[in-house]
Amino acid sequence: MTRGLTEANLKTLAGARSFERGLGYLDAVSGVEVGDGWVTASVHGTERYEVELTLDGPGGLVGECDCPYGLEGNFCKHLVALGLAVLAQRESLPRQRKAARERARDLDGWLSALSKDELLALLREQIDDDRQLRRRLELRATSARGDLAAVRSRIRELLDIGPFAQYGYVEYADARAYADQAGQAVSAIGALTGSGRAADAITLARETMRLLAEAVQSVDDSDGRLGQIGADLADAHLDACRAARPGPEALARWLVGHALGDFDGGPTDIDPLDYEEVLGEEGMAVLRKSAVEAWRGNRRGWAEKYLMERLAKAGGDVDTVIAVHAADLSPNGHTHLVIARELDTARRSDEALRWAERGIRETRDPAAVDTALVDYLCDRYTRADRLSDALTVRRDHFGARHSLLTYQQLRAAAQAADCRPVEREGALDLLRADARRRQVGRYGGPVLVDALLDDKDIDTAWQAATQTGAHDRQWLTLADQARVTRPADALGAYLRLAEPLTKQTGNPVYEQLVSLLLSIRDCHRRLDTPDEFAMYVTALRTAQKRKRNLMRLMDEHGL
């Protein structure tokens, strides 16, 4: 029974942090009940939470807890605590499981022996104690009577957020109860299909989609329960259509309308292609025609484009897929790239290349061009041994966007084309001009310094940083790389970087400072001035002696 339940598995499922916290909740586990393959209990934390471990599930060990963290689908500390409590009594579990099976058999035997009147009395007693059970059975009874108006009214009640909402909104704490109630409405629709009333189920399913779409706007569905109910509702509608076989033309038009958002479908996402068997050739023809008409009327509409693309791909119509994308080209070349990849998939590589080249030409702002398009085109040129063309694209991209990445890409292309020195000098000239204008890179400091560091040209990088300035991050990298050949210069940089840290507190600051001190010590060793370092450290210790964690770190590193 516990082959999947081990401390190692609990730690893997929960993570180290939740596992450690679960150790502190062992004494909070109460009311452990062992069933045939499952264990439940209450765990007292901030509140009392109900937890359940499934030990023999198809997916291995799984658990559920109604704490906020558990409701998000996480294996929480309360589940860890229950798992550890179960492991502590593993020797008795086989006996408890056997007893659970015997109790189940005894219960089944007892129920089988009861008369109809006795069973009814027992059921009525349970209905009085269990409001959710009463609601489910009331809905089934209404459905069985064939009273569609009553079923519709009951579904509306179940989807009404009023009883759960404060100020017109269902908060997270009440969302689960609301979702459970909404799920009963979906179950009732499925029951209608099962009882031979699939046409009514179709009608109610569509009405319920509208109600659910309205309700979801006012519910905190952070854990996605209403999303799952929407998926279940879509399945219920499809099952009803398979059973009732509605008119294919009307169904096709409804599916298109739903896909295009005639109403906000909310969490009920329907794929019209799932209905291909129900629609048949006639319905699919209407579906395609309606989708084309809608797209022609709004070529830039997201829903219209998606539906057209979905139908075209399903039919293997690459030209239509391309036409859909070509009708709304993005200004940065991204859509051209999408088209190129579609053509590649269709083994139409020459057309794909032309679309990629067109994307580069038609980009309105070269600095905003989709970098994936640039990479795609350069890769195609390189594989075709068109190295000069790849270099031109990289040069233009760098010219529009002076970054370390575009510099590295230009360098690689120039190396492949055997003209790196010329390209490098031209690129560095642009970066020098940026540095003089005090233009900095994404992470601060001139890109010129980063480029020279990336080229391993330390002396030139140091000169550039001295002339134009540099970010502290760049100075630290410079000092680290120049420490062997320019220890005096590196020492000056380290001392300047360490100074502001001595005025700050916090363990991360202390770790940075100690790292710099180790580098400072190495510089003094290379300069053969250990006495100066000793005096520096002594003065630092005197000034910083109240920072106990810093003193401890320095002691650990022999400083």
Side-chain angles (χ1 to χ4, degrees), residues 13-26:
L13 289 169
R17 180 175 175 81
S18 289
F19 180 82
E20 291 298 327
R21 296 180 71 184
L23 293 172
Y25 279 79
L26 285 174

Side-chain angles (χ1 to χ4, degrees), residues 315-335:
D317 187 353
V318 178
D319 290 322
T320 298
V321 173
I322 294 170
V324 170
H325 290 298
D328 185 24
L329 295 172
S330 59
N332 69 344
H334 174 73
T335 317

Side-chain angles (χ1 to χ4, degrees), residues 353 357 378 380-391:
L353 180 58
E357 292 171 332
C378 289
R380 287 293 305 271
Y381 283 153
T382 301
R383 286 191 282 117
D385 202 28
R386 295 172 59 179
L387 301 181
S388 61
D389 291 330
L391 177 60

Side-chain angles (χ1 to χ4, degrees), residues 62 69 95 132 252 257 281-282 295 297 352 380 497 518 522-523:
V62 294
Y69 189 61
R95 175 179 53 78
Q132 296 292 343
E281 292 185 7
E282 178 186 353
W295 174 67
R380 287 293 305 271
L497 293 170
L518 293 172
D522 184 58
C523 288

Side-chain angles (χ1 to χ4, degrees), residues 285-451:
V286 174
L287 182 69
R288 294 188 184 95
K289 181 181 178 182
S290 300
V292 170
E293 290 172 352
W295 174 67
R296 287 176 176 169
N298 184 16
R299 292 175 186 262
R300 294 191 173 185
W302 181 89
E304 287 81 359
K305 287 165 58 179
Y306 178 78
L307 180 59
M308 275 294 295
E309 181 183 359
R310 184 87 177 84
L311 292 171
K313 283 187 175 181
D317 187 353
V318 178
D319 290 322
T320 298
V321 173
I322 294 170
V324 170
H325 290 298
D328 185 24
L329 295 172
S330 59
N332 69 344
H334 174 73
T335 317
H336 299 77
L337 176 61
V338 172
I339 292 173
R341 286 174 172 164
E342 291 288 350
L343 288 166
D344 276 336
T345 302
R347 300 182 183 278
R348 292 160 61 175
S349 58
D350 290 344
E351 294 176 71
L353 180 58
R354 287 195 291 273
W355 269 101
E357 292 171 332
R358 177 180 165 184
I360 295 293
R361 289 196 308 271
E362 295 181 354
T363 297
R364 297 173 187 172
D365 180 5
V369 67
D370 188 340
T371 56
L373 174 62
V374 175
D375 293 341
Y376 171 90
L377 187 55
C378 289
D379 179 64
R380 287 293 305 271
Y381 283 153
T382 301
R383 286 191 282 117
D385 202 28
R386 295 172 59 179
L387 301 181
S388 61
D389 291 330
L391 177 60
T392 298
V393 174
R394 291 298 187 193
R395 185 190 303 121
D396 291 343
H397 192 211
F398 173 78
R401 188 182 298 179
H402 300 172
S403 69
L404 177 61
L405 176 60
T406 56
Y407 178 81
Q408 293 168 330
Q409 292 170 331
L410 174 60
R411 182 180 61 198
Q415 185 75 36
D418 197 24
C419 57
R420 179 182 174 186
V422 174
E423 292 295 334
R424 179 177 188 264
E425 197 55 39
L428 291 178
D429 283 343
L430 292 175
L431 295 181
R432 289 188 185 100
D434 287 348
R436 287 192 294 270
R437 291 192 297 267
R438 301 295 180 183
Q439 292 186 8
V440 299
R442 182 177 180 182
Y443 301 106
V447 177
L448 173 64
V449 175
D450 287 330

Side-chain angles (χ1 to χ4, degrees), residues 78 117 153 192 201 220 245 265 303 314 322 329 405 454 511 517 556 559:
H78 309 111
D117 289 340
S153 176
L192 281 173
D220 182 349
R245 296 287 170 171
I322 294 170
L329 295 172
L405 176 60
D454 200 64
E511 290 171 1
L517 290 174
E556 289 177 359
L559 295 169

Side-chain angles (χ1 to χ4, degrees), residues 154-223:
R154 191 73 186 101
I155 286 177
R156 287 184 173 275
E157 290 178 11
L158 290 171
L159 291 172
D160 180 16
I161 66 169
F164 302 89
Q166 293 185 357
Y167 311 109
Y169 190 78
V170 181
E171 301 290 345
Y172 179 81
D174 300 311
R176 182 180 186 182
Y178 175 77
D180 288 343
Q181 188 166 297
Q184 295 174 27
V186 178
S187 297
I189 292 170
L192 281 173
T193 300
S195 63
R197 301 178 59 201
D200 290 340
I202 293 173
T203 300
L204 289 180
R206 295 178 183 178
E207 292 179 8
T208 303
M209 290 178 195
R210 294 179 180 272
L211 294 172
L212 189 61
E214 294 171 3
V216 77
Q217 304 298 322
S218 303
V219 179
D220 182 349
D221 190 36
S222 299
D223 60 7

